[in-house]
Amino acid sequence: MEIEVLVNQRYQCGEGPHWDHANNRLIFNDISGKSVTVVDLETKEAKRVDGMPDTVSAVVPRASNKDEVVICHGQNLEILNLETKQREIIAIVDEGTENILNDAKCDPVGRLWAGTMGPEASPGNVDPEKGSVFCLDKDRKISKKFDKVNIANGLAWSLDQKTFYYIDSLPRKVDAFDYDVATGEIKNRRTAIDVKKFEDFAHITDGMCIDEEGMLWIALFNGGKVIRCNPNTGEKLSEILLPVKQTTSCCFAGPNLDQLIVTSASSLSEEELKQQPEAGFVFRIKNVGVRGVQAVSYAG
């Protein structure tokens, strides 16, 4: 296994890495840095698109246009043109509240799922149960799926498309729902992985992805690691330690989906930043022993 720095720029809260297979590029966002970055894995060239007025908490490619992505921008779901920087609002959630969107990902047929969270005084210190989880279909119709969410975070779908996995960060666990891929309906919520059973409570469950064997990879904020877990048994199978404390999310990338990308944050004191000079960088891990599953672009 080989860990290297892929992007040696310090992001405030790097998040949401997504391998855009169709266009052979990595895309991620910086929440408080209000930006989207596109990376060439071969050259490590990083192109940053910034200037957004509000938090940018997730980014997903749009299948119909290589220059466009969908971003979670404050309370808005917007289409962002990476070349012109023009933005188009396609949906607004939780109007009249102080909530903001957080993580987002597309289901196997290209519906966009995104969740919100309440005001956050400091990382992980959020007004409880203020958020909700929404689904945006390809016709841009948005529906609320459930509420009483603390910090809506990592999302993934099982290989057979029959299970939806979801993280609410504060309970430190991964929940599973029965999933109807034809309709996008969910039911039978239950706990798949209780991370508190094998990790320190300070380690907050954050972003997540799934591999070709159906195992979940979970970034632990404040844990400085990514863990691989079996959602069928709830067991932790392995972990990869990073040289930074605030690991935020992960995805598999590259033409063969055999590189694990890990983003990080730098919400640290000056002393901690001296001790973690690579905080906020983006990392690439090779030879992890398994490949990932191709991510899905928004179909609308």
Side-chain angles (χ1 to χ4, degrees):
M1 189 173 60
E2 175 188 347
I3 302 176
E4 66 173 359
V5 172
L6 177 66
V7 184
N8 63 349
Q9 299 177 31
R10 175 168 288 167
Y11 293 87
Q12 294 179 48
C13 190
E15 260 283 7
H18 185 115
W19 174 246
D20 182 0
H21 193 81
N23 298 298
N24 198 41
R25 61 189 180 183
L26 175 74
I27 304 175
F28 67 93
N29 56 283
D30 183 350
I31 297 179
S32 40
K34 304 174 183 178
S35 65
V36 171
T37 298
V38 180
V39 185
D40 184 312
L41 291 188
E42 293 298 319
T43 65
K44 295 188 178 181
E45 180 184 358
K47 177 184 177 183
R48 187 165 179 163
V49 181
D50 52 19
M52 268 72 80
D54 212 334
T55 53
V56 179
S57 55
V59 57
V60 175
R62 189 182 184 200
S64 61
N65 189 326
K66 70 179 182 63
D67 292 333
E68 293 182 344
V69 294
V70 179
I71 60 171
C72 291
H73 185 213
Q75 294 182 343
N76 300 344
L77 288 166
E78 300 178 355
I79 291 175
L80 167 68
N81 189 299
L82 296 171
E83 298 301 320
T84 66
K85 296 188 179 182
Q86 289 185 318
R87 292 178 287 110
E88 175 193 357
I89 297 174
I90 53 178
I92 304 175
V93 299
D94 287 353
E95 288 187 271
T97 73
E98 296 182 68
N99 291 359
I100 60 169
L101 284 155
N102 200 39
D103 210 350
K105 197 170 288 186
C106 287
D107 76 359
V109 296
R111 301 183 192 94
L112 181 72
W113 285 69
T116 58
M117 56 186 280
E120 189 177 34
S122 60
N125 182 17
V126 65
D127 285 359
E129 297 188 347
K130 296 290 187 181
S132 299
V133 168
F134 299 86
C135 178
L136 181 74
D137 68 20
K138 64 180 181 180
D139 297 320
R140 302 189 183 182
K141 179 182 177 183
I142 194 160
S143 56
K144 182 187 289 189
K145 294 298 184 177
F146 56 93
D147 56 12
K148 296 188 182 303
V149 168
N150 298 289
I151 302 176
N153 231 314
L155 310 99
W157 284 262
S158 62
L159 304 187
D160 64 6
Q161 304 181 357
K162 293 181 179 180
T163 305
F164 166 51
Y165 299 112
Y166 155 79
I167 288 174
D168 184 334
S169 290
L170 293 199
R172 275 74 166 172
K173 63 180 184 176
V174 180
D175 283 349
F177 297 78
D178 294 341
Y179 196 71
D180 186 332
V181 73
T183 65
E185 293 304 312
I186 54 176
K187 63 180 181 180
N188 188 27
R189 183 174 185 172
R190 67 269 185 195
T191 298
I193 304 166
D194 187 348
V195 175
K196 300 187 299 297
K197 290 183 176 180
F198 44 76
E199 289 289 338
D200 189 290
F201 189 74
H203 299 175
I204 301 172
T205 45
D206 207 323
M208 172 173 64
C209 66
I210 194 166
D211 67 29
E212 63 181 354
E213 297 177 356
M215 303 297 107
L216 296 174
W217 293 72
I218 305 164
L220 297 182
F221 190 87
N222 290 334
K225 66 175 78 173
V226 176
I227 58 175
R228 183 179 189 238
C229 298
N230 186 333
N232 301 308
T233 64
E235 297 174 286
K236 181 171 79 169
L237 304 176
S238 61
E239 65 180 26
I240 300 175
L241 298 176
L242 280 296
V244 295
K245 182 179 179 181
Q246 295 179 336
T247 39
T248 56
S249 191
C250 56
C251 78
F252 283 91
N256 297 316
L257 295 168
D258 57 356
Q259 305 173 40
L260 185 68
I261 307 299
V262 182
T263 50
S264 70
S266 57
S267 300
L268 300 164
S269 67
E270 289 187 16
E271 185 59 36
E272 287 174 317
L273 289 174
K274 289 178 182 178
Q275 297 171 357
Q276 301 173 51
E278 295 173 330
F281 287 14
V282 178
F283 300 87
R284 169 165 55 186
I285 308 170
K286 298 180 179 179
N287 305 317
V288 297
V290 68
R291 297 183 182 186
V293 175
Q294 186 172 318
V296 180
S297 299
Y298 176 55

